[in-house]
Structure formats: C-alpha cells, structure tokens
Amino acid sequence: MPGQAGQLLERILSGLAPQECPVTHHTVLPARDGSTADWPAWAPDDVVTALAGTGIRFPWSHQRLAADTAWSGQHVVLSTGTASGKSFGYRLPVLSALYTANAHETGNGGARQRSAATATGAHSATGATALYLAPTKALAADQVRGVTELQLPGIRAATYDGDTPTAERDWVRTHANWVFTNPDMLHFGILARHSRWQRLLRDLRYIVIDECHSYRGVFGSHVALLLRRLYRIAEHYGARPVLVLASATMAEPAEFATRLTGLDCTAVTEDASPHGARTVALWEPPLRPEVTGENGAPVRRSAGAEAARVLADLVTEGARTLAFVRSRRGAELTALTAARYLSEVDQDLAAQVAVYRAGLLSEERRALERDLLDGRLRGVATTNALELGVDIAGLDAVVLAGYPGTLASFWQQAGRAGRAGAESLVVFIARDDPLDTYLVHNPSAILDQPFEATVLDPGNPNVLAPHLVCAAAELPLRAGELDRFGRGARTLLDSLASCGTLRRRASGWYWTSLRHPHEEVAIRGTGGEQITVVEGETARILGTVDPATACATVHPGAVYLHQGTSYVVDELDLDHHVAFVHHEDPEWNTTARQTTDIAVLEVERQLDAGGIRMALGTVTVTEQVVGYLRKLPSGEVIDQVPLDLPPQRLTTRAVWYSISEELLNGRAPGGARLDPERLPGALHAAEHAAIGLLPLFATCDRWDVGGVSTALHEDTGEATVFVHDGHPGGAGFADRGYATLIPWLAATREAIVSCECSAGCPSCVQSPKCGNGNEPLDKAGAVTVLDIVLGATREEGIGGT
C-alpha cells in the first residue's frame, strides 16, 4: 500500500493476524491534475479580486463553463465531484449581477462594469436579487459566511431559516439581496406570504439550488413542485430568473435537473479540478460467535462500534478524520466510544473528538465548524449534516459506517478528505445488511459503476394535489399555465373543485378560505395530518411523524429519538393524531413487526420469459403492526412484545415476478426442483435480499420500500415476490426496479452467496423490519429461486440497464 494514506491504513491494521484482517479489498485511486481557464471579461474587477483573495488564481475549466452558461441566461446544472469548487460556478455570476446592479454602492468601477453589461445586453442595470436553496442549515450557513467574508460592497447576503430571529427576518425581507434558505422556509415562509417578499421576487435574477442530488423520492417530488410554484410567482412579479443547480456527480444530470425544475437545463459534467491520490479500503466487521440474533442467526460487530475503534486509531496517528454514521444516536455513541478508547492513551486526545449532527443548536454547530477549521478537533463523528458542501478542508481520512444509500452520497462523503489535493484515506465499514455485504465483496460496484439515476415523481397525485391547492392559494390557477404541473393537473383540479377544496370559475381555480393551506402540507412526508409527538409530563411538542409510518415508529413501547435524547412511547392516539412519550434511556432499541397483504389493482407493464412473468403496476397494500422486538446494540434480541393496532391501507406502485409451477418442480427446462415446504422460505428470503439491494439501483433506502412473497398469490395464480413503494401513489422506486430488474436480481443473488453464514443472517436474508419475525427463511432456496428467474430470462435474451 504505497503512499501516506496506505501507510496510515497499514498502521491501523497492525497487530491483526492475516486471518483476522477485516479489509476485503483496498485500492489506490490516482491523483488528477487540474485544468484552468481565464477569468471572464464580464466579471467586474472587484468581484474577481475578491474571489482571487480566497486563493483562486484562475477558475477551473468547469467552473468557467458553468458561470458562462448561467451568465448567458441558460439554466445550468454543474455536476462534478466533491471539492471541485461547485460553489464558484454560481457565486461568480450571482455576485457579478448583484454587484453590477448595486453599482451606486460600489463606486466608479462598478458603474463602468454596469455600463459594459448593459451594452452587451447580458443583464439590465436595474435591481437584482438572488435566492439560494440548500437542503441543510449548515450548508446555507457556510455559504453565507463565505459570501460575507468577501466583503464586496452592495452584497447583502442573509439566511432565512428556522434559526433566524423574528427581527432579523424583517431585515432580510427589506434589505437582503441574496437570501439563503431551505425548501421548508420557501414553502411556509416565502410562497405562503409572497406579497411580503415582492422586493426580492420582483428583481429575482438567479435561483441557486445547491446539492440538488439530495432531492429524491417523495421529498424530491415535493421540492420539484415547490420550484414550479416559485418560478410561477417570480413570473407574476415580472422576473424570469436563471436556475443554477449544483450536484455531486450523478447519472443523467441534465435530465434530472429538467425533471426537478420543469425547465430545460444544460449540464456541465467535465470535472477539471485536481485531487490527490485516494486509498479506499472496504472493511467487513467480523462475526461475534458469543452473540446470536433473531432465530439464532450469527451477528457481526456493528459498523458503529467498528467505526469508533478506527476513528480512535486514526486520531492517535494524528489524522484529522470524519466518521459518517447513519443516525444521530449512532454518531453520538461513536464519538463517545472513540473518546473512551483515546482516554486510555492520552486524555488530551479524548478531548479532541466530538459529534456533529443536525439536531445541535446553531451556536453549537458553528463552534464545531470553527474547531474543525482551525484544527482544535481531530476526530468528528457526524451524520450526513457534514456530507454536503460545508467547506471543511485539510482532512486526512473519512470513515463511513455503513453505505449512505447512493454512490453520489458515498463519494460526496469520501471527498471530505484530501480536499486541498493531498492524499487521503477512505474506510467503508459494512453494516450487517445485504447491500453492504454485496458491496464489500464486489468492489467494482463502488469503484467502477456509473452513478444511479435519481428518482422522483412530481406527477404523483398524492404529492401534486396539495401543491395545486397551495398554488391556487398563492395565485388563482389558470388553464393556460397547467403544463408546468404535468398532465394530471387538470384532472386533479377538477376533483379538488368537485369536493369543495377549490372553487372553479370560468377564469380558473380559486382558493376561497382565509387560512393558508400550506401548513397542512408536509413536504418531507407523504401527506395527511401529521402525528404530533408530545412529552406527557411537560406537554412539550418534540416533533411530528408521518401518518403512514406512525404505527411502525411511535407505537406503544417504541423507543423514539429526538435530537439525540431517547423517549419511550406510552400511547399512540390515531384518532387525535398524537403520540405521548416519556423520557427514558433504555439499553435496547425497538423494531416493529407487521403483517402485509397485497392486491393487484392494475398491471401497467408485463414481460414473460419461459415461465417467469415480470410486471409493474398499481397495488393496494394492507399492513398491520402486530408487535415489536426489543434488541440490544449488539443485535441480540431480548424479547418480542405483541401489539393490537388497526390495519393501514396504502395504494402505491409495485414491481413483481412470478414463477410457474413447472419451473419450481423441475419439469420445465431451466427449472430446479424445490420442495413445496421450502418454497415459502425461499421466496421470503429472496424478497428480503432484493429489498436490501434495491438502493444500489434506485436512490432509495430499504425503509422506503416494502415487500410481500407468497407461494400462491390469488391475483397471479403463481408463486410471486412483490416489492412496493412505501409511499402513497409511489415514489418511482418500483418503476426503477422494473427497469433494472435483471441486474438487480443478479446483485441480490451475489449478495446472498457472498455471505459466509450457513442458514441466513442480517447480512444476507434477514430483514430488520420483517413482520413474520424472519420466519420462514431458506437461504439456499433463495439462491435456487433467483437462479431459476435469471436462467429463464437469460434463455430469452432479456437483460437490463
């Protein structure tokens, strides 16, 4: 392992016998030189000087191309790697426009530039404003800080988020010409009261959508409709702003940006920035023979516990390190455990480890960011709050405790180290699930594969309908403007009018109530009235839970986490939409168990291949939470507690495959005899593993989808495995699964056979949310089922994308 990063990896592995080495694969990704371009002639001298003062001698070629495209008036998406300077791509045109428009504050140089801009017709010399959208407060705060530190006269940048005091909000509306906010505040604070934001909206020149790859699934669909509403309101006030999107490297960025915004976008994808060599190590925690999980299955050492040890070792070696952990509580435990290890070596080192998560107060977040920047901290355990473009430079290593869900997020997190062009070390530690198992045994899936397509569906009627109501409340909707909302908008509006939600008149659709409908739309959920989580002793509201997931997450006895603090649910009142909790920090966590039935409503697409039928369509899913497991952090199951909760029904989209009886009894060519008593367990195991692997092909989490398997389904008449979206109307995940069905099932098979357990475990076929207690499961039978399906499709020459 040549190079400093490789030597660092060798040192943290020292002392382990070869047979104990957890690293399944390591490689060195070579360094890359950069390519620069000249400063554009349209950029004011003062703006160029200010940006150059931050260490930018010349822009990278991709930065210049993105800035030129935006300045010319074209919507553009800049999709390049971490630390490639994407923020420059939008800062240069935005700052130039704001500086030029506010030339009366900038002196003669600004006036000269304003005349030049007007002469070329690129931008008028009237007022100009800009709006910036970020998925996290930390990212927006970092961007405001970066713009403010340029000290350009006439640039009044300000945040407008949940941390902004009321008095400052008035100042932002009145004076700021570059407002940094997030989708939630855009929905609740700006669009709902757009008349108070006329100054900003009337002169809106640019809308910046940063880290746009994070807008996927149901949340992404909500954001897509928010952007359509925003552009509509801007046009109402006479503005036609240019959209500038920034994204980590992703598949089909132009197509995705167009789908997200509803406007044609040009993509800039050729990354011209340099980066140092990067050593990537794939790490599989060992099995713990002294601990057994559900049904006696073997359990691996947890990724969080392993990450704490690696973090401590790296800090001991003097490496400035970020450890990404999936949950807030997991990040806190990782930091605490690493600090405990370090205290045995040097108490001063233990004080240099901290946790960074989104639930911290704004002052705490800012202090941690400063400590990282100036080197007072060496090790930080974090959630994805630090994944996105916060400019923390000079880090030596990144540890990922579990796959973050997408390749884009994986490389976004990995890129936090070595940002200044130095060598870096990336350690990916697999969690105990099928996807992570597959990845550490198939390194090409991480190192060589193109990025996944980002999935969203703004046409989902369950998402679109409430946005149409909000749009009508903002301005009456006219028939001639419905194209921006998609083909289903007219039908939905007529339905909303017929039920009295909107009023239909000859000129359009109107909202006639005095109240704002925006408060009833949960843009990070699936709709319906949210379940409010209340601390019983104090009546303090802790948060809300989506009604679709309430029975599984805040059932009686559930452990509920709020900003790192544990609570236990005492009562779930579905009629009054409230869950009562009390503060308690038990040693266990809880996982709901539920039963599921599925009925096919409509088959939209179907493909037959030698006794295998593959289909995509609309289904009704009936789920009932029947109990929950209490588990120790080690994975050991304490007990199972029964529950009696009402069934929940969901109409959504599903992908499924069914297998003929002739293939399963071995009478048809390509079949394999599978005893009837083994079939339910085989199908069940194949279903679990497929759900675990779907995030490799669609930008989802395994908790975004569900599944059902049965030896004889009444609608198909055959043995069938279903995988369905977990959101009303679907989120596009099942559609993506159908489009990639064959490679998806091939990866599923590989994940099962790669696992070293004998009969099935959480790394291959057990599911943490199985309603049947992971019974029955037949690991070998699952491989047989998948062999039959893949063999039949191969014979028919059917592949996949």
Side-chain angles (χ1 to χ4, degrees), residues 46 197 520 710 788:
D46 287 349
W197 292 87
E520 298 179 7
T710 174
I788 292 172

Side-chain angles (χ1 to χ4, degrees), residues 54 86-88 90-91 132 134 136-150 157-159 161 163 178 180-181 210-211 356 362 365-366 368-370 372-373 385-393 416 419:
T54 65
K86 290 185 287 290
S87 60
F88 180 97
Y90 56 76
R91 279 186 186 176
Y132 169 98
T136 67
K137 294 178 183 177
L139 177 55
D142 184 76
Q143 290 297 316
V144 170
R145 183 167 58 242
V147 170
T148 303
E149 288 174 352
L150 295 174
T159 55
D161 60 25
D163 293 337
W178 195 352
F180 291 73
T181 188
D210 207 356
E211 305 293 354
Y356 185 111
S362 59
R365 293 198 303 269
R366 307 298 175 261
L368 281 172
E369 289 166 20
R370 287 193 300 270
L372 270 175
L373 285 166
L386 268 184
E387 171 189 326
L388 306 177
V390 180
D391 190 16
I392 305 299
R416 304 303 301 171
R419 290 177 68 96

Side-chain angles (χ1 to χ4, degrees), residues 401-477:
Y403 186 63
T406 67
L407 285 172
S409 290
F410 179 93
W411 291 112
Q412 188 85 342
Q413 293 182 3
R416 304 303 301 171
R419 290 177 68 96
E423 285 191 39
S424 61
L425 172 65
V426 178
V427 180
F428 166 52
I429 301 175
R431 289 185 304 159
D432 209 0
D433 76 13
L435 177 55
D436 287 31
T437 299
Y438 175 81
L439 292 173
V440 294
H441 289 284
N442 294 270
S444 63
I446 289 179
L447 302 174
D448 303 324
Q449 290 298 310
F451 291 95
E452 326 72 350
T454 301
V455 175
L456 55 85
D457 180 17
N460 179 341
N462 295 278
V463 177
L464 177 56
H467 282 276
L468 291 173
V469 172
C470 291
E474 291 154 8
L475 290 172
L477 274 166

